[in-house]
Amino acid sequence: SFKIDYTSPISDKLKFDAGAKAKFQYLQDRQSDAFKYDESIFALYGALTYNFSKYTFSTGLRAERSTSGLTNSFNNNVFALLPNATLNYRLSSKQNIKLSYSRTVYRPNIYELNPYTSVNDPFSIQSGNPDLKPEFRQNLSIDYSKTLGDNYFSFQLFYKKSSNAISNYTF
């Protein structure tokens, strides 16, 4: 893995963040020359944060390119744009309300993709699906918080949506 981040104040109320990340993974089986799995993820991201009196607004975008594959079996290539935004309003020194949105991605791992059958015990057989697509999640929430002495109270209303949901199948 490799990651580099950059932060710069543009003014006393505005801040800019940016960065890049790269991850490489290679797996092979010493007992089988046929099993070679590789995965790479490249990401560029940026965000702006604006502070004004009782408000803080932050928004950003992450662009990711990922590839994963098992030699002689499958090769998955995915490009994803992942936006996020948060608006925080300080009602008082002890109360906040926050509205936030984010889009995230969950990529299936090698065990979920590997089409070969593996028998763990007499009751468990596992096989992956190489045709799985990444799961995208969208999260929208409004959050209220209040400090009460040394304690903290918070409640949240949220909406979550998943597409291409990944789940185990058991029978």
Side-chain angles (χ1 to χ4, degrees):
S1 291
F2 171 79
K3 182 178 176 181
I4 186 167
D5 289 320
Y6 173 78
T7 298
S8 176
I10 296 173
S11 70
D12 59 335
K13 296 180 180 183
L14 187 63
K15 181 178 78 165
F16 174 70
D17 297 297
K21 183 176 182 179
K23 176 184 174 186
F24 305 98
Q25 180 173 275
Y26 181 73
L27 302 170
Q28 70 181 43
D29 186 343
R30 292 181 190 165
Q31 306 299 318
S32 170
D33 289 336
F35 183 87
K36 292 179 183 166
Y37 174 78
D38 64 276
E39 177 183 56
S40 61
I41 303 168
F42 299 98
L44 294 173
Y45 45 91
L48 286 172
T49 303
Y50 182 73
N51 289 305
F52 180 75
S53 183
K54 294 183 173 197
Y55 293 94
T56 302
F57 177 69
S58 177
T59 186
L61 181 65
R62 180 180 183 98
E64 289 189 359
R65 177 76 170 151
S66 65
T67 61
S68 62
L70 186 62
T71 303
N72 298 323
S73 183
F74 65 87
N75 191 10
N76 297 331
N77 296 301
V78 176
F79 177 77
L81 289 175
L82 308 169
N84 66 74
T86 302
L87 175 63
N88 192 55
Y89 177 65
R90 192 172 61 250
L91 298 167
S92 70
S93 64
K94 295 185 177 197
Q95 296 181 79
N96 285 306
I97 192 161
K98 178 172 68 171
L99 178 65
S100 62
Y101 168 80
S102 67
R103 182 173 189 244
T104 60
V105 61
Y106 170 77
R107 289 177 207 81
N109 62 47
I110 181 59
Y111 302 105
E112 294 164 326
L113 293 169
N114 188 358
Y116 300 104
T117 302
S118 121
V119 180
N120 300 326
D121 60 54
F123 303 103
S124 301
I125 298 173
Q126 184 174 350
S127 180
N129 179 355
D131 295 325
L132 285 177
K133 305 293 181 223
E135 177 180 335
F136 287 95
R137 301 170 183 163
Q138 296 192 63
N139 304 300
L140 178 65
S141 66
I142 186 162
D143 197 353
Y144 170 81
S145 61
K146 181 174 179 149
T147 304
L148 300 168
D150 291 338
N151 297 312
Y152 180 83
F153 171 76
S154 175
F155 74 87
Q156 182 184 68
L157 292 173
F158 61 89
Y159 171 78
K160 297 184 180 216
K161 179 183 175 188
S162 295
S163 57
N164 297 329
I166 297 172
S167 181
N168 288 328
Y169 177 65
T170 305
F171 63 92

